[in-house]
Amino acid sequence: MEVTTLSYENLHNHGELFANMFRARHRSFILQNKWDLPQANGMEFDQYDTPASRWVAVHENGQVLAGIRLTPTTHRCGIYSYMIRDAQLGLLNSIPGTLLYEEAPVADHIWESSRVFVSDLVPANMRLRVQLQLRHEMVVSARSLGATSVLGLIPENSRRLGRRVGLDCEPAGPIMDIDGVDCVCVTINMAAKLH
């Protein structure tokens, strides 16, 4: 099993991995979760998949097992910035604007984590290992980008996993039902020690 952080600068070094990340997202979010998201050629993408973002992929033999997208909170592309802020500003009708207790941050040291998934093809006896690898690389990548914290919208029950792997996930908003799943915005301290 390998873990790679992809960017527009290095994707040419990784063959089909970048496209396979979007294919795995399509399987997870569109086929499995039944979310109505942009898609083309069996790949899921959105307005936040820009050269400013990074994508962490856990993969084996070309198959993407899990992934996370990291986006700087300072990024702008047209009317969009990052998913959580745009939801708060009312630009995304699929996510409630009341997802944060405070105004969405815009700072060089805060990045957003989004499009987090673990493939349904990962066997139960490998899921924890895959999740640990994914979280670890997210922290390594975020720190290398200068992040001291990451803001993410996650299923509420994922906070327990964060604690198990040494991530300090503090609620930054109320628990909300999004497509039948209890979700919450969290701030993840990048200074936390990983197990």
Side-chain angles (χ1 to χ4, degrees):
M1 183 179 341
E2 297 178 67
V3 187
T4 303
T5 297
L6 296 161
S7 69
Y8 272 72
E9 288 88 15
N10 73 6
L11 66 92
H12 65 281
N13 295 322
H14 299 285
E16 284 285 304
L17 186 59
F18 194 62
N20 288 344
M21 166 69 94
F22 291 99
R23 289 181 185 110
R25 281 177 29 180
H26 182 276
R27 179 177 176 87
S28 290
F29 299 123
I30 294 175
L31 298 181
Q32 299 285 287
N33 293 0
K34 308 285 190 230
W35 292 355
D36 182 20
L37 298 171
Q39 59 180 308
N41 303 318
M43 293 180 265
E44 180 274 321
F45 62 93
D46 67 18
Q47 63 268 36
Y48 307 108
D49 292 307
T50 73
S53 291
R54 302 294 185 272
W55 300 265
V56 176
V58 179
H59 54 101
E60 191 168 58
N61 301 320
Q63 180 182 22
V64 175
L65 306 175
I68 292 178
R69 177 179 58 205
L70 294 170
T71 303
T73 60
T74 55
H75 181 63
R76 299 288 173 276
C77 185
I79 63 169
Y80 298 105
S81 57
Y82 65 96
M83 191 181 70
I84 291 171
R85 182 172 185 268
D86 291 348
Q88 189 179 58
L89 294 174
L91 297 175
L92 306 175
N93 59 11
S94 58
I95 302 172
T98 56
L99 73 170
L100 290 173
Y101 293 132
E102 298 179 5
E103 187 175 324
V106 176
D108 288 333
H109 67 280
I110 302 172
W111 282 60
E112 178 190 55
S113 164
S114 59
R115 287 301 196 264
V116 181
F117 72 92
V118 175
S119 171
D120 65 315
L121 301 175
V122 176
N125 65 344
M126 281 184 60
R127 289 187 82 76
L128 181 58
R129 183 171 160 228
V130 168
Q131 290 168 332
L132 290 170
Q133 290 288 326
L134 184 64
R135 272 29 176 216
H136 181 267
E137 185 68 14
M138 179 200 71
V139 171
V140 169
S141 294
R143 286 176 179 165
S144 75
L145 295 164
T148 59
S149 68
V150 169
L151 184 65
L153 177 61
I154 63 171
E156 202 279 329
N157 62 10
S158 293
R159 289 184 56 223
R160 288 191 307 273
L161 177 64
R163 286 192 298 271
R164 284 182 71 185
V165 299
L167 292 179
D168 180 16
C169 300
E170 290 299 317
I175 296 172
M176 304 166 300
D177 180 312
I178 300 177
D179 290 332
V181 177
D182 283 341
C183 295
V184 64
C185 275
V186 294
T187 298
I188 305 167
N189 182 350
M190 291 296 102
K193 299 208 183 322
L194 293 175
H195 295 274

